[in-house]
Amino acid sequence: MFRFISNIWGNFKEYFILAFLLILGLVLVSFNQKPGVKTVRAMAFGTFASVSSLVNDVIGISQIKTENSQLKEKNAELMLQLNKLREFGIENEELKGLLKLKDTVKYPLIPATIVAKSFSTSQNTVTLHGGNSSGIKPGMPVINDQGLIGIVYSTSDDYSIARTLRNRDLKLTVKDERSRIDGIMKWNGDDLVMVDVPKTYDIKPGDRIITSELSSLISIPVPIGVVMELSKVETGIFNEVRVKPLVNFAKAANVYVIGIIESKQKNQLELNFFNRK
Amino acid sequence: MRSDYILPIFLFFVLLLLQSTLVNLISISGIVPDLILILLVYYSIKNNQIFGMVLGFIFGLLFDLITGSLLGSSIISKTVCGFTAGYFSNENKRELYLNSYAFPLIVLLCGIIDSFVYSFFSSSNLNSSFVFLMMQQGVFPGVYTAGISLIVLFFRPKRSMR
């Protein structure tokens, strides 16, 4: 009997080990949301990110010159816009004063730097230099001057990982800025798409897509992209709307985390998957 | 842990560092080569199938933990890759596979399997056709990785790297 088992093991041990490792891998999939795994993960990426931030700084030096000239140009444009906005602001204050309203909405912006980017096409993530110590918490939106980049998924003391819009696990409630139509947007592996949009809805190529106030993750309007085209679905009543993101994910380096936390009561009520504390 | 695993794991961290910082600069339409896969294939052929599988498991585990991707997805894809590459770990032909253009072809095969298993496993997009998914997420990254693996042929150390 022992010889028989020994023979079997000798002939097929590679397959047994493969099966064992694959089963172990599958078991680990179910451990993704365990607090212990999250702690280990935070420690692992925190340690690695501190090293990669050093490398990133060295690489960044060569890009600074180009970025600097671009920023100067942008600065000039923004200065002109700012002037206009100041005018509008003064006018706005006057009008609000007349209406006895106060602007109470302020979004704290936490600066952070991208120190590493994952290369997966389906689970795109970025590692940010900035974590719990900077006030960053899971669920906070990450933006840059172009628009929404993603949402913080996991944090350690000094680093955090954010799921970008190019991550299949990130689904957002968005709306068409022009027609105010809401929809669910996700990454399908190739494009950002708004799914299950009834064909009768008024969405046209060129429309800007922003986050919807209905979203339990980001309820402030943050630009996301522009409608490229509506898929030509022959059958059914739904369209798929392809959206071109405003953010260039490959070039994004300096970002801001919006330090907003949605209402805990609202989150619990809506069964939001991020358990904010 | 056997000492054979120490150097590959050290190299894993070095390559992951390059992968997360420099490699993005050479991406083509979002497709990037997988340096870790090249390392895995190299060591799987260099040693044996079991070594390849275990190393694939370790690489996948570390990768999932560090990059924040779904824990288990890389573990499975890299373990399967180590298993596949290990098939070419024949004692008589080992040097031939490592020193000839067969190496990029093995990397291509493993790259296709890795990309496909990883993307399919992590989240399948049922709206895309199977062939399209295979091309977009399996073949293209695999071809790019195989192309980059040619570097190994030119820079492979003359002495055994264990």
Side-chain angles (χ1 to χ4, degrees), chain A residues 28-251:
Chain A
L28 284 172
V29 173
S30 62
F31 283 9
N32 263 285
Q33 297 304 322
K34 299 261 181 193
V37 171
K38 283 186 174 177
T39 313
V40 173
R41 177 173 275 174
M43 280 167 62
F45 83 72
T47 313
F48 186 77
S50 56
V51 180
S52 64
S53 70
L54 287 173
V55 178
N56 215 40
D57 286 348
V58 175
I59 299 164
I61 291 168
S62 61
Q63 294 174 339
I64 283 174
K65 207 173 175 182
T66 334
E67 203 176 326
N68 200 23
S69 62
Q70 285 173 347
L71 284 173
K72 275 180 183 169
E73 194 183 328
K74 197 154 199 171
N75 208 18
E77 284 173 14
L78 287 172
M79 187 267 291
L80 294 171
Q81 277 186 23
L82 184 68
N83 248 4
K84 260 188 187 176
L85 289 171
R86 271 194 188 131
E87 293 291 318
F88 291 145
I90 293 164
E91 197 178 0
N92 196 22
E93 284 299 315
E94 283 174 11
L95 292 171
K96 271 181 183 168
L98 289 174
L99 292 167
K100 303 283 181 206
L101 285 175
K102 276 188 179 175
D103 191 357
T104 53
V105 183
K106 275 186 183 173
Y107 308 124
L109 295 177
I110 305 162
T113 318
I114 294 177
V115 292
K117 293 173 185 173
S118 84
F119 56 95
S120 162
T121 51
S122 57
Q123 294 182 41
N124 204 283
T125 55
V126 289
T127 307
L128 308 176
H129 190 175
N132 293 331
S133 55
S134 320
I136 298 174
K137 288 179 180 153
M140 288 181 171
V142 183
I143 60 163
N144 70 358
D145 57 325
Q146 294 163 323
L148 183 71
I149 289 177
I151 291 182
V152 175
Y153 165 65
S154 182
T155 56
S156 67
D157 282 345
D158 297 318
Y159 295 93
S160 41
I161 288 184
R163 283 174 171 160
T164 71
L165 292 174
R166 298 170 70 171
N167 189 312
R168 284 177 173 169
D169 295 325
L170 181 61
K171 296 175 182 73
L172 286 173
T173 311
V174 297
K175 72 177 174 191
D176 186 309
E177 198 175 43
R178 180 184 58 83
S179 61
R180 322 305 286 173
I181 286 168
D182 293 289
I184 302 291
M185 198 190 66
K186 64 175 188 179
W187 174 251
N188 71 2
D190 306 311
D191 296 299
L192 276 178
V193 287
M194 277 172 79
V195 291
D196 298 339
V197 178
K199 283 180 174 175
T200 50
Y201 278 16
D202 178 23
I203 295 181
K204 292 175 186 167
D207 283 0
R208 270 167 65 91
I209 301 297
I210 58 173
T211 50
S212 168
E213 65 275 8
L214 299 181
S215 171
S216 56
L217 300 175
I218 314 166
S219 58
I220 57 167
V222 181
I224 290 177
V226 176
V227 174
M228 274 202 295
E229 64 171 0
L230 280 70
S231 64
K232 289 164 188 163
V233 185
E234 301 296 332
T235 55
I237 55 169
F238 295 115
N239 253 336
E240 201 175 72
V241 181
R242 283 176 62 205
V243 177
K244 187 183 177 189
L246 293 169
V247 173
N248 184 339
F249 294 99
K251 289 185 179 173

Side-chain angles (χ1 to χ4, degrees), chain B residues 73-148:
Chain B
S73 53
S74 294
I75 291 175
I76 290 170
S77 65
K78 291 283 188 286
T79 305
V80 173
C81 276
F83 177 76
T84 311
Y87 266 117
F88 299 94
S89 180
N90 183 316
E91 277 189 28
N92 300 320
K93 293 184 176 175
R94 193 171 284 162
E95 287 301 312
L96 178 73
Y97 287 137
L98 289 174
N99 291 317
S100 70
Y101 288 98
F103 183 71
L105 291 176
I106 299 168
V107 172
L108 173 65
L109 174 70
C110 293
I112 292 169
I113 293 169
D114 176 66
S115 308
F116 188 68
V117 171
Y118 180 77
S119 58
F120 190 79
F121 184 82
S122 56
S123 182
S124 58
N125 178 19
L126 299 174
N127 294 327
S128 297
S129 71
F130 181 79
V131 177
F132 182 77
L133 196 71
M134 188 75 192
M135 291 299 289
Q136 177 74 19
Q137 305 199 3
V139 177
F140 293 153
V143 169
Y144 200 0
T145 307
I148 294 293

Side-chain angles (χ1 to χ4, degrees), chain B residues 1-17:
Chain B
M1 186 190 283
R2 281 172 58 187
S3 58
D4 294 1
Y5 288 97
I6 294 170
L7 181 60
I9 290 171
F10 171 74
L11 290 174
F12 166 85
F13 285 112
V14 176
L15 289 182
L16 187 61
L17 201 61

